[in-house]
Amino acid sequence: LNVDPSVFACQLTILEHELYLRISMFECLDRAWGTKYGNMGGSMNISKFIMNANSLTNYASYSIVKQHDLKKRCKYIEYFISVAQHCKELNNYSSMTAIVSALYSSPIYRLKETWKMIPRNFTKTLSALNNLMDSKRNFYNYRAQLHGVKDVACVPFFGVYLSDLTFTVAGNSDYLHKNKDIINFGKRAKIVDIVEE
């Protein structure tokens, strides 16, 4: 709690951005195709990026749950909500989502007496962040927000891209009309669009 939430968010953003920049297009294809079209070299950087986000979720959850004093536990929840909001302001949707996931996880969300003591402005902020990452309509709110981010650094929530790749690869045939002579270039074009984005 001694570290200002904006500073913590900034440090998370620097770390996540460095991890994100290491991810190559071929790693994305490797995740989607596996070894179907040959060895793309694996997807180690995607794994590191995901592990980092999962570690942040676990860290936030653990930091809150280990507090036995109710008032201190409230301070931790307020702190992580502030960090998540600052991450959003820095266009770090990965860390923001990891923290929101922690706060909505069962061990934290079930702390009814604790949540009663959280000021309304914090719960409103958390609710807005959660609504931004609502998976309804294929993450419509998040995608709209992300498309508004122009000419500045951004760390996206990578799970959306991985889901898009998986659905595109699994949901579209490689060939048209069950004829191996007619390649489904539409499927390839969708995959390129997702990877480029």
Side-chain angles (χ1 to χ4, degrees), residues 146-161:
L146 198 59
H147 285 291
V149 177
K150 303 269 191 245
D151 301 323
V152 291
C154 175
V155 184
F157 172 55
F158 208 68
V160 170
Y161 298 113

Side-chain angles (χ1 to χ4, degrees), residues 108-175:
I108 308 302
Y109 197 69
R110 288 188 304 211
L111 299 169
K112 301 294 183 203
E113 295 304 312
T114 304
W115 284 105
K116 285 179 187 174
M117 294 180 63
I118 304 295
R120 177 123 173 84
N121 60 320
F122 284 97
T123 56
K124 276 180 70 173
T125 299
L126 179 60
S127 180
L129 296 174
N130 191 46
N131 287 338
L132 175 63
M133 298 312 296
D134 189 351
S135 61
K136 290 179 186 158
R137 294 175 42 206
N138 198 16
F139 290 92
Y140 178 81
N141 296 337
Y142 168 68
R143 290 178 193 271
Q145 173 94 25
L146 198 59
H147 285 291
V149 177
K150 303 269 191 245
D151 301 323
V152 291
C154 175
V155 184
F157 172 55
F158 208 68
V160 170
Y161 298 113
L162 294 178
S163 295
D164 288 350
L165 280 171
T166 301
F167 285 122
T168 301
V169 169
N172 297 282
S173 63
D174 287 335
Y175 305 99

Side-chain angles (χ1 to χ4, degrees), residues 22-32 34-35 38-48:
R22 293 180 191 155
I23 298 171
S24 73
M25 294 173 127
F26 290 109
E27 288 187 71
C28 296
L29 293 175
D30 187 87
R31 272 289 162 125
T35 57
N39 184 0
M40 302 278 175
S43 55
M44 180 181 66
N45 290 314
I46 292 175
S47 296
K48 285 180 180 177

Side-chain angles (χ1 to χ4, degrees), residues 4 7-8 21 29 35 45 59 62 66 75 79 81 97-98 125 130 136 147 156-157 174 180 190-191 193 195 197:
D4 187 272
V7 172
F8 190 48
L21 290 177
L29 293 175
T35 57
N45 290 314
Y59 172 74
Y62 177 74
K66 79 173 189 173
K75 289 288 180 203
Y79 180 81
I81 292 170
T97 303
T125 299
N130 191 46
K136 290 179 186 158
H147 285 291
F157 172 55
D174 287 335
K180 293 209 176 209
K190 286 179 187 174
I191 290 169
D193 289 344
V195 172
E197 190 176 336

Side-chain angles (χ1 to χ4, degrees), residues 5 8-17 19-20 49-50 52-58 60 80-103 126 129 133 142 154-158:
F8 190 48
C10 187
Q11 293 302 312
L12 286 173
T13 303
I14 292 168
L15 173 66
E16 291 248 35
H17 194 254
L19 291 170
Y20 178 65
F49 188 77
I50 292 169
N52 186 70
N54 290 341
S55 294
L56 177 57
T57 299
N58 293 335
F80 281 111
I81 292 170
S82 295
V83 171
Q85 177 60 33
H86 285 293
C87 285
K88 178 186 175 261
E89 292 164 7
L90 293 168
N91 299 314
N92 179 358
Y93 299 102
S94 180
S95 294
M96 182 201 81
T97 303
I99 294 169
V100 170
S101 294
L103 294 169
L126 179 60
L129 296 174
M133 298 312 296
Y142 168 68
C154 175
V155 184
F157 172 55
F158 208 68

